[in-house]
Amino acid sequence: MSFLTSQFDLIRGLHILAVIAWMAGMLYLPRLYVYHSKATPGSEMDETFKVMEIKLLKIIINPAMIATWLFGLLLIAVHVNQSGWAFLAQPWMITKLIAVIALSGWHGFLAGARKRFEAGTNTRPEKFWRMTNEIPFVLAIIAVLAVTTQFLSR
């Protein structure tokens, strides 16, 4: 555990970079769905969007989410080693964890939507994807502000 503690800043930096990559993909994928919703099924554009969406999900979003969780759990381990489990019960940490779980759930929803686009069974209109495009950003704001302000714990 002392190795993890000595590498705390590196782990935190890698966590932040993974979050940036995850968020970039989570913001871009619904934007692709906006345009894909307008493509004629079976058309060249439909096929192009399918390729773009699967590559974005498999090459960027999924690995970034895994890295985010991995480095986040390592950061929790360092905190637990230094000060015990009590910080997990702090309102700011509970809020962050809820936001991360919600982001992970939205990630799953977007992955399921990609499968529906792939199968040609998408039923959600362009307007739905436009309206929900900012969900990841709102959740990220909540998570970041929870950590940076550590509200109700000082």
Side-chain angles (χ1 to χ4, degrees):
M1 188 54 74
S2 64
F3 174 76
L4 289 179
T5 302
S6 70
Q7 300 302 313
F8 181 81
D9 287 336
L10 174 62
I11 295 167
R12 183 174 47 186
L14 292 171
H15 177 68
I16 291 168
L17 291 171
V19 169
I20 290 168
W22 188 26
M23 290 303 305
M26 294 282 283
L27 290 167
Y28 187 48
L29 189 56
R31 180 56 49 187
L32 289 176
Y33 293 165
V34 167
Y35 300 120
H36 196 167
S37 297
K38 297 189 290 186
T40 304
S43 69
E44 184 178 340
M45 285 307 299
D46 180 52
E47 295 306 315
T48 299
F49 282 121
K50 288 177 183 178
V51 170
M52 292 171 69
E53 292 157 1
I54 190 69
K55 285 186 176 187
L56 180 61
L57 197 61
K58 299 282 184 175
I59 297 171
I60 296 173
I61 301 174
N62 289 347
M65 181 192 73
I66 292 166
T68 296
W69 272 94
L70 175 68
F71 292 124
L73 291 172
L74 288 173
L75 290 172
I76 287 173
V78 170
H79 274 286
V80 166
N81 186 54
Q82 291 177 340
S83 56
W85 293 94
F87 85 99
L88 287 172
Q90 293 291 325
W92 67 269
M93 189 60 172
I94 292 168
T95 302
K96 178 185 179 172
L97 291 174
I98 290 169
V100 171
I101 290 167
L103 270 169
S104 298
W106 184 246
H107 178 139
F109 178 81
L110 292 176
R114 192 216 52 87
K115 288 179 183 176
R116 286 186 291 283
F117 274 108
E118 178 73 29
T121 60
N122 172 56
T123 59
R124 303 212 185 262
E126 170 191 354
K127 186 174 181 178
F128 172 83
W129 295 113
R130 284 188 189 282
M131 289 175 32
T132 61
N133 190 56
E134 302 305 323
I135 287 173
F137 189 59
V138 171
L139 290 169
I141 290 169
I142 292 167
V144 168
L145 291 179
V147 172
T148 58
T149 65
Q150 293 188 357
F151 61 87
L152 301 177
S153 66
R154 294 182 183 186

